[in-house]
Amino acid sequence: MDKNVLFVTIVSSSSKIVSTLLVCLFHGMSLREALALGGLLNTKGVLALIVLNEGRAMKAIDNIEFTVIGIITLLMASTVAPIFFLVEKSTKCFSNYKQRSIERSDPNTELQILTCIHSTRNVSGIINLLQLSNATTRSPICVFAVHLVQLTGTGRASAMLIVQDSRKTRTIIGNGKNNNDITPQRAESEQIVDAFGNFERENETAVTVHPLTAVSPYTTIHEDIFQLAEEKHVAFILVPYHKLPTANGRLQGDNVSIRQLNQNLLNNAPCCIGILVDRGVGPPIEQNSTEFDKSEFRIAMLFIGGPDDHEALSYASRMAEKSGVTLTVVRFLEAKEENTRNESDLEDMTESEEGKEIDDDFINEFRFKTMFEECISYQEKTVNSADELMEYVSSN
């Protein structure tokens, strides 16, 4: 009889796990999360032991069956801790959150943007780009401006998040033992807060800014950024390039820590990641919003294909709705002549037929929506190699 009980228990538990697994996979959950959920649904509590005890008292089951079922119940309960560990570890991968993007965002709702600032030299370029993001009352933007401060030394092991506002009040989140270790950066943080505060006040009906300061080692600060992005339902993360502009528009320096941070963000991106290469040629930060709106801007969007280019074109389309902005979209197509192809150069550019169909549908929809927009132009360029593509970009 105990073998029959064990067989029935295994079959019933397996069917619950398999059915949960199929449903979860159908809805896009990972295999790890699906198995964990199926295991959790099989766990039993105190109520199951009470029912078993009553069944034995009513002579419905004997002592052997009671013992077998009781042991199985305890074994199932013991799996809760490791299953919770698997689920908690899996949520750090933000698998479901990756579906949030600019392309899928409703244009009539607020766009959530998280910007990362390393120093005051990054502020001007980022705010100029946000000005071009066409924030309106109908389609506002919410900016989480995070000043990243590298935690060094051994005075405090845990990260810290400082939430600031226009009144310079601070709320410190995290285990901070030695708060004095961020004192040198406070003056710079206040300058950044003031700059974004002015940006918010000049666009008060269309822009909301939440300034924060994140203090953490740069080796793990990307995890703090991802956590904040998930909590705030951010669709776009904007970070500065690891080199800074010079007075003549060139780039100088090579910050290894920032370069590694950007690489970590790209490797584990929970949403769209934009790296701003600021050459310092935009309007000065002191220019108010009214003067900025009178300026004219020409934007080029180079479309090769894939989800990243879909995001870039969606963002460029939003920018093109702002007055004074002219958008030129150039789509690069692979040459069809077999004898002129360089397969080694083009292997990173080629797309599957399915991917090309998706790109074609996306471009056709974009052209249909913007066919009467005089400020938007579209052209196609056929190239035989990546070198030819780079040559075309450099010459235009």
Side-chain angles (χ1 to χ4, degrees), residues 63-147:
N63 289 335
I64 295 179
E65 293 171 341
F66 176 82
T67 302
V68 172
I69 299 176
I71 292 175
I72 293 174
T73 302
L74 292 176
L75 289 176
M76 289 180 175
S78 66
T79 61
V80 173
I83 287 175
F84 177 79
F85 173 77
L86 288 175
V87 174
E88 191 272 340
K89 184 178 180 180
S90 178
T91 54
K92 291 183 179 180
C93 298
F94 308 101
S95 57
N96 293 333
Y97 180 68
K98 288 183 180 179
Q99 297 182 1
R100 181 173 293 275
S101 63
I102 301 176
E103 178 186 354
R104 296 187 179 94
S105 300
D106 188 345
N108 295 322
T109 59
E110 186 177 63
L111 177 63
Q112 310 273 7
I113 301 177
L114 190 153
T115 66
C116 299
I117 303 101
H118 301 287
S119 67
T120 53
R121 299 184 66 178
N122 304 137
V123 174
S124 177
I126 288 179
I127 289 184
N128 285 336
L129 183 61
L130 293 175
Q131 286 274 27
L132 286 171
S133 298
N134 191 39
T136 62
T137 305
R138 180 180 60 87
S139 181
I141 62 174
C142 178
V143 180
F144 297 93
V146 185
H147 179 207

Coordinates of all heavy atoms in Angstrom, one line a residue, residues 63-147:
N63 N -1.0 3.5 9.9 CA 0.2 4.2 10.4 C 1.3 4.3 9.3 O 2.0 5.3 9.2 CB 0.7 3.5 11.6 CG -0.2 3.8 12.8 OD1 -0.9 4.7 12.9 ND2 -0.2 2.8 13.8
I64 N 1.4 3.2 8.5 CA 2.4 3.2 7.5 C 2.1 4.3 6.4 O 3.0 5.1 6.0 CB 2.5 1.8 6.8 CG1 2.9 0.8 7.8 CG2 3.4 1.9 5.6 CD1 3.0 -0.6 7.3
E65 N 0.9 4.4 6.0 CA 0.5 5.4 5.0 C 0.7 6.8 5.6 O 1.1 7.7 4.9 CB -0.9 5.1 4.5 CG -1.2 3.9 3.8 CD -2.6 3.6 3.5 OE1 -3.5 4.1 4.2 OE2 -2.9 2.8 2.6
F66 N 0.3 6.9 6.9 CA 0.4 8.2 7.5 C 1.9 8.6 7.5 O 2.3 9.8 7.3 CB -0.1 8.1 8.9 CG 0.1 9.4 9.7 CD1 -0.8 10.5 9.6 CD2 1.1 9.5 10.6 CE1 -0.6 11.7 10.3 CE2 1.4 10.7 11.3 CZ 0.5 11.7 11.2
T67 N 2.8 7.7 7.8 CA 4.2 8.0 7.9 C 4.8 8.4 6.5 O 5.5 9.3 6.4 CB 5.0 6.8 8.5 OG1 4.5 6.4 9.7 CG2 6.5 7.1 8.6
V68 N 4.4 7.6 5.5 CA 4.9 7.9 4.1 C 4.4 9.3 3.7 O 5.2 10.1 3.2 CB 4.4 6.8 3.2 CG1 4.8 7.2 1.7 CG2 5.0 5.5 3.5
I69 N 3.1 9.5 3.8 CA 2.6 10.8 3.4 C 3.2 12.0 4.2 O 3.5 13.0 3.7 CB 1.1 10.8 3.5 CG1 0.5 9.8 2.5 CG2 0.5 12.2 3.1 CD1 -1.0 9.6 2.6
G70 N 3.4 11.7 5.5 CA 4.0 12.8 6.4 C 5.4 13.1 6.0 O 5.8 14.3 5.9
I71 N 6.2 12.1 5.7 CA 7.6 12.3 5.2 C 7.6 13.0 3.9 O 8.4 14.0 3.7 CB 8.3 10.9 5.1 CG1 8.5 10.3 6.5 CG2 9.7 11.1 4.4 CD1 9.1 8.9 6.5
I72 N 6.8 12.7 3.0 CA 6.7 13.4 1.7 C 6.3 14.8 1.9 O 6.9 15.7 1.2 CB 5.7 12.7 0.8 CG1 6.2 11.3 0.4 CG2 5.5 13.5 -0.5 CD1 5.3 10.4 -0.4
T73 N 5.4 15.1 2.8 CA 5.0 16.5 3.1 C 6.1 17.3 3.6 O 6.3 18.4 3.2 CB 3.8 16.5 4.1 OG1 2.7 15.7 3.5 CG2 3.3 17.9 4.3
L74 N 6.9 16.7 4.5 CA 8.0 17.4 5.1 C 9.1 17.6 4.1 O 9.7 18.7 4.0 CB 8.6 16.6 6.3 CG 7.7 16.5 7.5 CD1 8.3 15.6 8.6 CD2 7.5 17.9 8.1
L75 N 9.3 16.7 3.2 CA 10.3 16.8 2.1 C 9.9 18.0 1.2 O 10.7 18.8 0.8 CB 10.5 15.6 1.3 CG 11.2 14.4 2.0 CD1 11.2 13.2 1.2 CD2 12.6 14.8 2.4
M76 N 8.6 18.1 0.9 CA 8.1 19.2 0.0 C 8.3 20.5 0.7 O 8.7 21.5 0.1 CB 6.6 18.9 -0.3 CG 6.4 17.8 -1.3 SD 4.6 17.6 -1.6 CE 4.7 16.3 -2.9
A77 N 8.0 20.5 2.0 CA 8.2 21.8 2.8 C 9.6 22.2 2.8 O 9.9 23.4 2.8 CB 7.6 21.7 4.2
S78 N 10.5 21.2 2.9 CA 12.0 21.6 2.9 C 12.5 22.2 1.7 O 13.6 22.8 1.6 CB 12.8 20.3 3.3 OG 12.7 19.4 2.2
T79 N 11.8 22.1 0.6 CA 12.2 22.6 -0.7 C 11.9 24.1 -0.9 O 12.3 24.7 -1.9 CB 11.6 21.9 -1.9 OG1 10.2 22.0 -1.8 CG2 12.0 20.4 -1.8
V80 N 11.1 24.7 0.1 CA 10.7 26.1 -0.1 C 11.9 27.0 -0.1 O 12.0 27.9 -0.9 CB 9.7 26.5 1.1 CG1 9.5 28.0 1.1 CG2 8.5 25.7 1.0
A81 N 12.9 26.8 0.8 CA 14.0 27.7 0.9 C 14.9 27.7 -0.4 O 15.2 28.8 -0.9 CB 14.9 27.3 2.1
P82 N 15.3 26.5 -0.9 CA 16.1 26.5 -2.1 C 15.3 27.1 -3.3 O 15.8 27.7 -4.2 CB 16.5 25.1 -2.3 CG 15.5 24.3 -1.5 CD 15.2 25.1 -0.3
I83 N 14.0 26.8 -3.3 CA 13.2 27.3 -4.4 C 13.1 28.8 -4.4 O 13.2 29.5 -5.4 CB 11.7 26.7 -4.4 CG1 11.8 25.2 -4.8 CG2 10.8 27.5 -5.3 CD1 10.5 24.5 -4.7
F84 N 12.9 29.4 -3.2 CA 12.9 30.8 -3.0 C 14.2 31.4 -3.5 O 14.3 32.5 -4.1 CB 12.6 31.2 -1.6 CG 12.6 32.7 -1.3 CD1 11.5 33.5 -1.6 CD2 13.7 33.3 -0.7 CE1 11.6 34.8 -1.4 CE2 13.8 34.6 -0.5 CZ 12.7 35.4 -0.8
F85 N 15.3 30.7 -3.2 CA 16.6 31.2 -3.6 C 16.7 31.3 -5.1 O 17.3 32.2 -5.7 CB 17.7 30.3 -3.0 CG 19.1 30.6 -3.5 CD1 19.8 31.7 -3.0 CD2 19.7 29.8 -4.5 CE1 21.1 32.0 -3.5 CE2 21.0 30.1 -5.0 CZ 21.7 31.2 -4.5
L86 N 16.2 30.2 -5.8 CA 16.3 30.2 -7.2 C 15.4 31.3 -7.8 O 15.9 32.0 -8.8 CB 15.8 28.8 -7.7 CG 16.7 27.6 -7.5 CD1 16.0 26.4 -7.9 CD2 18.0 27.8 -8.3
V87 N 14.3 31.5 -7.2 CA 13.4 32.6 -7.8 C 14.0 34.0 -7.5 O 14.0 34.8 -8.4 CB 12.0 32.5 -7.1 CG1 11.1 33.7 -7.6 CG2 11.3 31.2 -7.5
E88 N 14.5 34.2 -6.3 CA 15.1 35.5 -6.0 C 16.3 35.8 -6.9 O 16.5 36.9 -7.4 CB 15.5 35.5 -4.5 CG 15.9 36.9 -4.0 CD 17.4 37.2 -4.2 OE1 18.2 36.2 -4.4 OE2 17.8 38.3 -4.2
K89 N 17.2 34.7 -7.2 CA 18.3 34.9 -8.0 C 17.9 35.2 -9.5 O 18.5 36.0 -10.2 CB 19.2 33.7 -7.9 CG 20.5 33.8 -8.7 CD 21.3 32.5 -8.6 CE 22.6 32.6 -9.4 NZ 23.4 31.4 -9.2
S90 N 16.8 34.5 -9.9 CA 16.3 34.7 -11.2 C 15.8 36.1 -11.5 O 15.9 36.6 -12.6 CB 15.3 33.6 -11.5 OG 14.8 33.8 -12.8
T91 N 15.1 36.7 -10.5 CA 14.6 38.0 -10.7 C 15.6 39.0 -10.9 O 15.3 40.1 -11.5 CB 13.7 38.4 -9.5 OG1 14.5 38.3 -8.3 CG2 12.5 37.5 -9.3
K92 N 16.9 38.8 -10.5 CA 17.9 39.7 -10.7 C 18.3 39.8 -12.2 O 18.9 40.8 -12.7 CB 19.2 39.4 -9.9 CG 19.0 39.5 -8.4 CD 20.3 39.2 -7.7 CE 20.1 39.4 -6.2 NZ 21.3 39.1 -5.5
C93 N 17.8 38.9 -13.0 CA 18.1 38.9 -14.4 C 17.1 39.7 -15.2 O 17.2 40.0 -16.4 CB 18.1 37.5 -15.0 SG 19.3 36.4 -14.3
F94 N 16.0 40.2 -14.5 CA 15.0 41.0 -15.1 C 14.5 40.5 -16.4 O 14.3 41.2 -17.4 CB 15.6 42.4 -15.4 CG 16.2 43.0 -14.2 CD1 17.6 43.0 -14.0 CD2 15.5 43.6 -13.2 CE1 18.2 43.6 -12.9 CE2 16.1 44.2 -12.0 CZ 17.4 44.2 -11.9
S95 N 14.2 39.2 -16.4 CA 13.8 38.5 -17.7 C 12.5 39.1 -18.2 O 12.3 39.4 -19.4 CB 13.7 37.0 -17.5 OG 12.7 36.7 -16.5
N96 N 11.5 39.3 -17.3 CA 10.2 39.8 -17.8 C 10.3 41.3 -18.1 O 9.6 41.8 -18.9 CB 9.1 39.5 -16.8 CG 8.8 38.1 -16.6 OD1 9.0 37.3 -17.6 ND2 8.4 37.6 -15.4
Y97 N 11.2 42.0 -17.4 CA 11.3 43.4 -17.5 C 11.9 43.8 -18.9 O 11.7 45.0 -19.3 CB 12.1 44.0 -16.4 CG 12.3 45.5 -16.4 CD1 11.2 46.3 -16.2 CD2 13.5 46.0 -16.7 CE1 11.4 47.7 -16.2 CE2 13.7 47.4 -16.7 CZ 12.6 48.2 -16.5 OH 12.8 49.6 -16.5
K98 N 12.6 42.9 -19.5 CA 13.2 43.3 -20.8 C 12.2 43.6 -21.9 O 12.6 44.2 -22.9 CB 14.0 42.1 -21.3 CG 15.3 41.9 -20.5 CD 16.1 40.8 -21.0 CE 17.4 40.6 -20.2 NZ 18.2 39.5 -20.7
Q99 N 10.9 43.4 -21.7 CA 9.9 43.7 -22.6 C 9.6 45.2 -22.7 O 8.9 45.7 -23.6 CB 8.6 42.9 -22.4 CG 8.8 41.4 -22.5 CD 7.6 40.6 -22.3 OE1 6.5 41.2 -22.0 NE2 7.7 39.3 -22.4
R100 N 10.0 46.0 -21.7 CA 9.8 47.4 -21.6 C 10.7 48.1 -22.6 O 11.9 47.9 -22.6 CB 9.9 47.9 -20.2 CG 9.6 49.4 -20.1 CD 9.7 49.8 -18.7 NE 8.6 49.3 -17.9 CZ 7.3 49.8 -17.9 NH1 7.1 50.9 -18.5 NH2 6.4 49.2 -17.2
S101 N 10.2 48.9 -23.5 CA 11.0 49.6 -24.5 C 10.3 50.9 -24.9 O 9.1 51.1 -24.7 CB 11.3 48.7 -25.6 OG 10.1 48.3 -26.3
I102 N 11.1 51.7 -25.6 CA 10.5 52.9 -26.2 C 9.5 52.6 -27.3 O 8.5 53.2 -27.5 CB 11.6 53.9 -26.7 CG1 12.5 54.3 -25.6 CG2 11.0 55.1 -27.4 CD1 13.7 55.1 -26.0
E103 N 9.9 51.5 -28.1 CA 9.0 51.1 -29.2 C 7.6 50.7 -28.7 O 6.6 51.0 -29.4 CB 9.7 50.0 -29.9 CG 8.9 49.4 -31.1 CD 9.6 48.2 -31.7 OE1 10.7 47.8 -31.3 OE2 8.9 47.6 -32.6
R104 N 7.6 50.0 -27.6 CA 6.3 49.5 -27.1 C 5.6 50.5 -26.2 O 4.4 50.3 -25.8 CB 6.5 48.2 -26.3 CG 7.0 47.0 -27.2 CD 7.1 45.7 -26.4 NE 7.5 44.6 -27.2 CZ 8.8 44.2 -27.2 NH1 9.7 44.9 -26.5 NH2 9.2 43.2 -28.0
S105 N 6.2 51.6 -25.9 CA 5.6 52.6 -25.0 C 4.5 53.4 -25.7 O 4.6 53.7 -26.9 CB 6.6 53.6 -24.5 OG 7.6 52.9 -23.7
D106 N 3.4 53.6 -25.0 CA 2.3 54.4 -25.6 C 2.8 55.9 -25.7 O 3.2 56.5 -24.7 CB 1.1 54.3 -24.6 CG -0.1 55.0 -25.2 OD1 0.0 55.7 -26.2 OD2 -1.2 54.7 -24.7
P107 N 2.7 56.4 -26.9 CA 3.2 57.8 -27.1 C 2.4 58.9 -26.3 O 2.9 60.0 -26.2 CB 3.1 58.0 -28.6 CG 2.1 57.0 -29.1 CD 2.2 55.8 -28.2
N108 N 1.2 58.5 -25.9 CA 0.4 59.4 -25.1 C 0.6 59.2 -23.6 O -0.3 59.8 -22.8 CB -1.1 59.2 -25.5 CG -1.3 59.6 -26.9 OD1 -0.7 60.6 -27.5 ND2 -2.2 58.9 -27.6
T109 N 1.6 58.5 -23.2 CA 1.8 58.3 -21.7 C 3.2 58.8 -21.4 O 4.0 59.1 -22.3 CB 1.7 56.8 -21.3 OG1 2.6 56.0 -22.1 CG2 0.3 56.3 -21.6
E110 N 3.5 58.9 -20.1 CA 4.8 59.4 -19.7 C 5.9 58.4 -20.0 O 5.8 57.2 -19.7 CB 4.7 59.6 -18.1 CG 5.9 60.3 -17.6 CD 5.8 60.6 -16.1 OE1 5.6 59.6 -15.3 OE2 5.8 61.8 -15.7
L111 N 7.0 58.9 -20.5 CA 8.2 58.1 -20.8 C 9.2 58.3 -19.7 O 9.6 59.3 -19.3 CB 8.8 58.6 -22.1 CG 10.1 57.9 -22.5 CD1 9.9 56.5 -22.8 CD2 10.8 58.6 -23.7
Q112 N 9.5 57.1 -19.1 CA 10.4 57.0 -17.9 C 11.9 56.9 -18.4 O 12.2 55.9 -19.2 CB 10.1 55.9 -17.0 CG 8.6 55.8 -16.7 CD 8.3 56.6 -15.4 OE1 9.1 57.4 -14.9 NE2 7.0 56.6 -15.0
I113 N 12.7 57.8 -18.1 CA 14.1 57.8 -18.5 C 15.0 57.9 -17.3 O 14.8 58.7 -16.4 CB 14.4 59.0 -19.4 CG1 13.6 58.9 -20.7 CG2 15.9 59.0 -19.8 CD1 13.8 60.1 -21.6
L114 N 16.0 57.0 -17.2 CA 17.0 57.1 -16.2 C 18.4 57.5 -16.8 O 18.9 56.9 -17.7 CB 17.2 55.7 -15.5 CG 18.0 55.6 -14.2 CD1 17.5 54.4 -13.4 CD2 19.5 55.4 -14.5
T115 N 18.9 58.6 -16.2 CA 20.2 59.1 -16.7 C 21.2 59.0 -15.7 O 21.0 59.1 -14.5 CB 20.1 60.6 -17.1 OG1 19.8 61.4 -15.9 CG2 18.9 60.8 -18.1
C116 N 22.4 58.6 -16.1 CA 23.6 58.4 -15.2 C 24.6 59.6 -15.4 O 24.9 59.8 -16.6 CB 24.2 57.1 -15.4 SG 23.1 55.7 -15.0
I117 N 25.0 60.2 -14.4 CA 26.0 61.3 -14.5 C 27.2 61.0 -13.6 O 27.0 60.7 -12.4 CB 25.3 62.6 -14.0 CG1 24.1 62.9 -14.9 CG2 26.3 63.8 -14.2 CD1 22.8 62.6 -14.2
H118 N 28.4 61.1 -14.1 CA 29.6 60.9 -13.4 C 30.1 62.2 -12.8 O 30.7 62.1 -11.7 CB 30.6 60.2 -14.2 CG 30.2 58.9 -14.8 ND1 30.1 57.7 -14.0 CD2 29.8 58.5 -16.1 CE1 29.6 56.7 -14.8 NE2 29.5 57.2 -16.0
S119 N 30.0 63.3 -13.5 CA 30.5 64.5 -13.1 C 29.7 65.6 -13.8 O 28.8 65.4 -14.6 CB 32.0 64.7 -13.4 OG 32.1 64.8 -14.8
T120 N 29.9 66.9 -13.4 CA 29.2 68.0 -13.9 C 29.5 68.2 -15.4 O 28.7 68.8 -16.1 CB 29.6 69.3 -13.2 OG1 31.0 69.4 -13.2 CG2 29.1 69.3 -11.8
R121 N 30.6 67.6 -15.9 CA 30.9 67.7 -17.4 C 29.9 66.9 -18.2 O 29.9 67.1 -19.4 CB 32.3 67.3 -17.6 CG 33.4 68.1 -16.9 CD 34.8 67.7 -17.2 NE 35.1 67.9 -18.6 CZ 36.3 67.7 -19.2 NH1 37.3 67.1 -18.5 NH2 36.5 67.9 -20.5
N122 N 29.2 66.0 -17.6 CA 28.2 65.2 -18.3 C 26.9 65.9 -18.4 O 26.0 65.5 -19.2 CB 28.0 63.8 -17.7 CG 29.3 63.0 -17.6 OD1 29.6 62.4 -16.5 ND2 30.1 63.0 -18.6
V123 N 26.6 66.9 -17.6 CA 25.3 67.4 -17.4 C 24.8 68.1 -18.7 O 23.6 67.9 -19.1 CB 25.3 68.4 -16.2 CG1 23.9 69.1 -16.1 CG2 25.5 67.6 -14.9
S124 N 25.6 69.0 -19.3 CA 25.2 69.8 -20.4 C 24.7 68.9 -21.6 O 23.6 69.1 -22.1 CB 26.3 70.7 -20.9 OG 26.0 71.4 -22.0
G125 N 25.5 67.9 -22.0 CA 25.1 67.1 -23.1 C 23.8 66.3 -22.8 O 22.9 66.1 -23.7
I126 N 23.7 65.7 -21.6 CA 22.5 64.9 -21.3 C 21.2 65.8 -21.2 O 20.2 65.4 -21.8 CB 22.7 64.2 -19.9 CG1 23.7 63.1 -20.1 CG2 21.4 63.7 -19.4 CD1 24.0 62.3 -18.8
I127 N 21.3 67.0 -20.6 CA 20.1 67.9 -20.6 C 19.8 68.3 -22.0 O 18.6 68.4 -22.3 CB 20.4 69.0 -19.6 CG1 20.4 68.5 -18.2 CG2 19.3 70.1 -19.8 CD1 20.6 69.6 -17.2
N128 N 20.8 68.6 -22.8 CA 20.5 69.0 -24.2 C 19.7 67.9 -24.9 O 18.8 68.1 -25.7 CB 21.7 69.4 -25.0 CG 22.3 70.7 -24.6 OD1 21.5 71.6 -24.1 ND2 23.6 70.9 -24.7
L129 N 20.1 66.6 -24.7 CA 19.5 65.5 -25.4 C 18.1 65.3 -24.8 O 17.1 65.1 -25.6 CB 20.3 64.2 -25.1 CG 19.7 63.0 -25.8 CD1 19.7 63.1 -27.3 CD2 20.5 61.7 -25.5
L130 N 17.9 65.5 -23.5 CA 16.5 65.5 -22.9 C 15.6 66.6 -23.5 O 14.4 66.4 -23.7 CB 16.6 65.5 -21.4 CG 17.3 64.3 -20.7 CD1 17.4 64.6 -19.2 CD2 16.5 63.1 -21.0
Q131 N 16.2 67.8 -23.7 CA 15.5 68.9 -24.3 C 14.9 68.5 -25.7 O 13.8 68.8 -26.1 CB 16.3 70.1 -24.4 CG 16.6 70.8 -23.1 CD 15.5 71.8 -22.8 OE1 14.4 71.7 -23.2 NE2 15.9 72.8 -22.0
L132 N 15.7 67.7 -26.4 CA 15.3 67.2 -27.8 C 14.4 66.1 -27.7 O 13.9 65.7 -28.8 CB 16.6 66.8 -28.6 CG 17.5 68.0 -29.1 CD1 18.7 67.4 -29.7 CD2 16.7 68.8 -30.1
S133 N 14.1 65.5 -26.6 CA 13.2 64.4 -26.5 C 11.7 64.7 -26.6 O 10.9 63.8 -26.4 CB 13.4 63.6 -25.1 OG 14.8 63.2 -25.0
N134 N 11.4 65.9 -26.9 CA 10.1 66.4 -27.2 C 9.1 66.1 -26.1 O 8.1 65.4 -26.3 CB 9.6 65.7 -28.5 CG 8.3 66.4 -29.0 OD1 8.1 67.6 -28.9 ND2 7.4 65.6 -29.5
A135 N 9.4 66.5 -24.9 CA 8.5 66.4 -23.8 C 7.3 67.4 -23.9 O 7.6 68.6 -24.1 CB 9.2 66.6 -22.5
T136 N 6.1 66.9 -23.9 CA 4.9 67.7 -24.0 C 3.9 67.4 -22.9 O 4.1 66.4 -22.2 CB 4.3 67.5 -25.4 OG1 3.8 66.2 -25.5 CG2 5.2 67.9 -26.5
T137 N 2.9 68.2 -22.8 CA 1.9 67.9 -21.8 C 1.2 66.6 -22.1 O 0.8 65.8 -21.2 CB 0.9 69.0 -21.7 OG1 1.5 70.2 -21.4 CG2 -0.2 68.8 -20.6
R138 N 1.0 66.3 -23.4 CA 0.4 65.0 -23.8 C 1.3 63.9 -23.7 O 0.8 62.7 -23.4 CB -0.1 65.2 -25.3 CG -0.8 64.0 -25.9 CD -1.2 64.2 -27.3 NE 0.0 64.4 -28.2 CZ 0.7 63.5 -28.7 NH1 0.4 62.2 -28.5 NH2 1.8 63.8 -29.5
S139 N 2.6 64.1 -23.9 CA 3.5 63.0 -23.8 C 4.7 63.4 -23.0 O 5.8 63.7 -23.5 CB 4.0 62.6 -25.2 OG 4.9 61.5 -25.1
P140 N 4.6 63.5 -21.6 CA 5.6 64.0 -20.8 C 6.7 63.0 -20.6 O 6.6 61.8 -21.0 CB 4.9 64.3 -19.5 CG 3.8 63.3 -19.4 CD 3.4 63.1 -20.9
I141 N 7.8 63.4 -20.0 CA 8.9 62.5 -19.6 C 9.2 62.7 -18.1 O 9.1 63.7 -17.6 CB 10.2 62.8 -20.5 CG1 10.8 64.2 -20.2 CG2 10.0 62.5 -21.9 CD1 12.1 64.4 -20.9
C142 N 9.6 61.6 -17.5 CA 10.0 61.5 -16.1 C 11.4 61.1 -16.1 O 11.8 60.0 -16.6 CB 9.1 60.6 -15.3 SG 9.5 60.4 -13.6
V143 N 12.3 62.0 -15.6 CA 13.7 61.7 -15.6 C 14.2 61.4 -14.2 O 14.0 62.1 -13.2 CB 14.5 62.9 -16.1 CG1 16.0 62.7 -16.1 CG2 14.0 63.3 -17.5
F144 N 14.9 60.3 -14.0 CA 15.6 59.9 -12.8 C 17.1 60.2 -13.0 O 17.8 59.4 -13.7 CB 15.3 58.4 -12.4 CG 13.9 58.1 -12.2 CD1 13.1 57.7 -13.2 CD2 13.3 58.3 -10.9 CE1 11.7 57.4 -13.0 CE2 12.0 58.0 -10.7 CZ 11.2 57.6 -11.7
A145 N 17.5 61.3 -12.5 CA 18.9 61.8 -12.7 C 19.8 61.2 -11.6 O 19.7 61.7 -10.4 CB 19.0 63.3 -12.8
V146 N 20.6 60.2 -11.9 CA 21.4 59.6 -10.8 C 22.8 60.0 -11.0 O 23.5 59.7 -12.0 CB 21.3 58.0 -11.0 CG1 22.0 57.3 -9.8 CG2 19.8 57.6 -11.0
H147 N 23.3 60.6 -9.9 CA 24.8 61.0 -9.9 C 25.5 59.7 -9.3 O 25.3 59.3 -8.2 CB 25.0 62.2 -9.0 CG 26.4 62.6 -8.8 ND1 26.9 63.2 -7.7 CD2 27.5 62.4 -9.7 CE1 28.2 63.4 -7.9 NE2 28.6 62.9 -9.1

